[in-house]
Each structure stands twice: as structure tokens, then as C-alpha cells.
Amino acid sequence: MTSTTSRATSADLADRARLTIPGGANSNVRLAAPRVFFERGKGAWLWDVDGNDYVDYLLGQGPNFLGHAHDRVVAAVAKASTSGMVFGAQHRLEVEAAERIVAALGWADMVRLGMTGTEAVQAALRLARAVTGRRRFVRFEGHYHGWLDNVLVNPGTDTVASAGQMASYLADSVVVPWNDAAALEAALAEHAEALAAVIMEPIMINSGSTEPADGYLPRVRELCTRYGVVLIFDEVISGFRVALGGAAQRYGVAPDLATYGKAMAGGWPVAALAGRAELMERFGTGEVNHSGTFNGSVMAAAAVVATLDVLTEDPPYERITRHGTALMAGLADLGRRHGVPLRVQGLPMAFHASFGPPDPVTDYRGLRTLDLDRYAAFSHALADHGVWVAGRGIWYVSAAHGEPELTAALERADRALTGHAAG
Ligand code: PMP
């Protein structure tokens, strides 16, 4: 059946999707999610084709930081696109987007736009190699930098995570536990001659939403400078989310290069690589290649400009912090009342919930004690009761989440836990 009627249920659409889309999903990250098809999203809410509503704490894996379909972003993208979408040449909005990004970040001089965080990471690594003439890089246990061969690993191991992935590319990196300055110093001392870069999530949001220990980032900065290694912050999640200037602003530490995406463009697919002019200019001379048909498209640039204008004119950070903090406390309380080991930790804008030992996890190895299957089942129970979250524990909070959403989310989570605890 190829009807496009909006009356098709999620179950109908899932059956159809499986015939023409492998696994019925366009990203492997979504294969384990409940088979719900959405009709619409607005603000902090989603509506599926079956008539159910959801408080959304997935935010499309983070991009909808202003809430779904923010009026100013939608209007800016729509208006800009009526005059053409891609030119294979420059246009005014690109300049405005770059100027706003550089102003928001504070530490960076220049920026290149791309489409995905995965690409921005690869551009950063290539540039670091070009500048240093070295090949290898340091990455950290539990950090995620996209789905390509040289950075994708099975969680909890350092092995390839996909059939067809070339294990030899992983050998280009030296893997170190994060938040351990002595371990990084030892790795740099041993491999400095071969190391182009150190790449990290400056807050380990992908694994436990874990903050850097006091003094850790300044020490990392110092070590990279001392060994002449390019420091790359992967701020694809933290950028524009934990502060307008991301983790670099929050902790007062400037990297040499940083990657951005998600929160930067109100849901539009845009990523960026920002950095010091001395490095970034290597793209401008043509010496280092960074290309892409859709880089800096009219819609992407318009979305960045509108989003950064909203974030600057009406900063949502305090509001989001209040909401996230109350939600974390409410969930922890529900866990206690239901007698389940539901643990909540991390930053309120993107916190982490899990089942496991009650103490917060401060390093990646600690996360191995978590009951991931139990949490995945809970995330499905939440979906059944109208709360949409990631299956791996991150809860994203947007500028559109307010009191009604908090009340609804906690009531629904209460009901989900009732079934979950009984089950
Ligand atoms: N870096 C980090 C820190 C990420 O969290 C992600 C995606 N969640 C990426 C890179 C890859 O970004 P994308 O999915 O846009 O390719």
C-alpha cells in the first residue's frame, strides 16, 4: 500500500517503512527506539500519528534547544529559502552566521559551517594533522565523536562498533581515561612526537553527563600547549547549550579548535568547526581541504542567525537550569518512592538517568555497573505514558519546557514507574 493518508497508524507506517528503509529507520541510533511515527512537534511537545502526545526530552537528540518549530527560526528559514537555497557561492547570511558564532564563542576567530557533527570532527582532525605534520591523536574512553571509522567504538571497549569498520583506523589514536590529568600527561610524554591532537567532549555528556573535575581542563590546556598538540573540544552537545559560549565559556578554558552542531540552529541540520585564525586560515589558503555542497546553505545560515539572536536576546539558560534541576529532583524522588535504583546526575540542560548504584558516576568505568537494559525498558515505558526520551539515558531540556511540562512529565513518569516496578 502506498497511500500517504495521514490516517495510517504507527504500526502501519512501521510495516511500510521496513520495506524501503533498512530497519525502518534512517539512523542506527533509532533502531532500538519505540516504533512511533510523529505527526508534529511544537515547543516541548510531540504528537504521534496515533493521537498520543508526549513531553519531549529527546529534542531530536539535542537540536531542538529552543523547542520544536520555534516561530522565529521557522520564519527565518522559510523567508530566506524563497530567494534560493544553495548557490555554490557565497551569500550575505553566511557572513552574518559566522559573525554571530564568533561573537557568541568569544575565544574563536573563524568558523566553517558544515552539516553534521561527524564531519566537523573529521575536519578538525585533518586540520590538526596538517598543522602539526603528525598523524595520531588522543581520544578518551566513553566519548562520542560521530560514526566514522577512526572514532566509533563499542561502548565499554575500544573495539570497532560496526561490521565493515576498519579497525586499522582506530589504531591512529591513543585512548586515555578522561578526567585523569596524570594519564593524559603520561600519554603525551610517551607519544608527543606522533600526536597531532587531543580531542574530547569537555563535559562527558555522552557518558553520564559527567563534568570535568576542578582544574582538569586548565591542566589539559597547559599540557597541549606544552607538547605542541592541538586541543579540540567536541562541543556538538555542550555548545550553545551549557552556556552561549559552551563548555569553553563555562569552565573558562579555550581550545584551539572546537566542533559544534545541535543547539546552534534550532533544529536545522548545521554543524561548525571554529578555531584560532592561525589554524583555520589553512582552509582559506586551500592547503587543507574542507568541502561540501550544502555547507553554509541559505537555510542553515538563516537558522543559525535566528537561533543565536534568540539565545542572545532572551537567554534561556537560567530557565532551563531551573527546569532541569526540578525535573532531576522529581525523578530522583519518584525513584525513591517506587523503591527502584533510579539515579539522576549531571548538568540540568542535558542530564543522565540510569539504573544502578546510587552514587554518581565520575568516570567512564563506573558506568559499566549500570543496568542499561533496565533503563532501555524504562524509556519504552515512558514513551507508552507520554514522555519521549533517549534509550541511553540523556534527558535534554529546551527553552520551551515550563511548569506544565514539568508537572506532566513527573505524573507520567510516576505512572511509567508503577508499571516498570511491577514488571
Ligand atoms: N560529537 C558529539 C559529542 C556528539 O554527541 C555527536 C552526536 N550525538 C557527534 C559528535 C556527531 O554528530 P552528528 O550526529 O551530527 O554527526
Side-chain angles (χ1 to χ4, degrees):
M1 217 237 334
T2 55
S3 158
T4 52
T5 169
S6 61
R7 287 175 198 282
T9 63
S10 285
D12 298 335
L13 288 168
D15 286 346
R16 266 173 66 193
R18 269 190 279 273
L19 299 178
T20 50
I21 305 172
N26 273 308
S27 168
N28 275 34
V29 172
R30 297 175 209 152
L31 287 176
R35 286 307 152 104
V36 173
F37 281 71
F38 289 110
E39 184 86 63
R40 182 165 86 81
K42 185 71 186 169
W45 292 84
L46 289 167
W47 289 268
D48 69 20
V49 296
D50 310 303
N52 304 304
D53 60 28
Y54 302 79
V55 190
D56 182 19
Y57 288 104
L58 179 67
L59 302 183
Q61 300 286 359
N64 295 295
F65 185 56
L66 297 179
H68 290 270
H70 188 280
D71 290 347
R72 274 185 64 185
V73 179
V74 171
V77 168
K79 178 164 177 268
S81 63
T82 58
S83 303
M85 298 181 185
V86 276
F87 302 127
Q90 281 57 248
H91 57 93
R92 178 179 51 83
L93 280 169
E94 281 175 291
V95 186
E96 293 184 12
E99 288 169 352
R100 278 178 178 67
I101 293 170
V102 165
L105 298 181
W107 64 270
D109 304 310
M110 304 184 108
V111 59
R112 272 283 179 97
L113 294 182
M115 298 283 289
T116 68
T118 296
E119 279 177 79
V121 162
Q122 297 302 319
L125 291 173
R126 178 180 285 176
L127 181 56
R129 285 170 166 152
V131 167
T132 58
R134 303 169 183 166
R135 179 189 175 108
R136 301 186 78 196
F137 59 94
V138 169
R139 59 187 167 79
F140 295 85
E141 290 177 353
H143 292 214
Y144 181 75
H145 303 297
W147 61 278
L148 295 189
D149 284 21
N150 58 352
V151 287
L152 184 69
V153 291
N154 267 319
T157 71
D158 203 52
T159 55
V160 294
S162 171
Q165 186 185 352
M166 303 291 289
S168 57
Y169 287 119
L170 287 178
D172 280 342
S173 45
V174 175
V175 183
V176 171
W178 189 69
N179 245 346
D180 180 343
L184 177 61
E185 182 161 13
L188 286 169
E190 187 181 345
H191 302 285
E193 299 291 287
L195 288 174
V198 167
I199 184 167
M200 67 164 64
E201 292 182 60
I203 307 165
M204 191 171 62
I205 296 183
N206 273 302
S207 295
S209 187
T210 310
E211 283 198 88
D214 277 354
Y216 178 65
L217 294 182
R219 182 83 182 120
V220 169
R221 172 67 281 178
E222 207 178 288
L223 288 168
C224 287
T225 304
R226 187 197 312 160
Y227 284 97
V229 172
V230 176
L231 175 58
I232 305 168
F233 280 175
D234 184 345
E235 296 230 42
V236 167
I237 296 184
S238 56
F240 304 96
R241 187 187 311 275
V242 301
L244 186 65
Q249 176 186 328
R250 184 179 172 97
Y251 302 103
V253 175
D256 299 305
L257 298 173
T259 54
Y260 299 91
K262 306 209 189 227
M264 187 173 70
W268 198 265
V270 191
L273 171 60
R276 294 196 292 112
E278 183 194 340
L279 284 73
M280 295 293 289
E281 269 167 355
R282 304 280 189 114
F283 291 129
T285 60
E287 186 188 345
V288 184
N289 187 292
H290 166 244
S291 303
T293 301
F294 295 108
N295 292 0
S297 75
V298 169
M299 296 79 72
V304 169
V305 170
T307 302
L308 297 195
D309 283 352
V310 171
L311 291 177
T312 311
E313 289 163 23
D314 179 22
Y317 300 100
E318 273 184 41
R319 241 171 32 242
I320 291 175
T321 299
R322 265 201 311 279
H323 185 99
T325 304
L327 180 59
M328 291 169 77
L331 288 171
D333 185 51
L334 284 176
R336 279 189 294 273
R337 285 206 279 116
H338 284 270
V340 294
L342 178 61
R343 194 223 352 241
V344 186
Q345 68 172 43
L347 291 172
M349 312 83 175
F351 64 85
H352 189 254
S354 55
F355 289 108
D359 296 332
V361 171
T362 53
D363 63 31
Y364 181 65
R365 289 171 187 173
L367 291 165
R368 293 177 194 164
T369 58
L370 301 181
D371 188 342
L372 300 180
D373 291 343
R374 183 172 188 182
Y375 188 83
F378 176 52
S379 74
H380 284 245
L382 283 169
D384 289 343
H385 289 85
V387 182
W388 192 249
V389 293
R392 11 176 234 125
I394 304 182
W395 288 56
Y396 289 106
V397 180
S398 82
H401 284 92
E403 279 300 317
E405 287 77 20
L406 182 65
T407 307
L410 290 174
E411 278 172 12
R412 292 170 182 208
D414 192 2
R415 289 202 288 275
L417 274 172
T418 303
H420 176 81

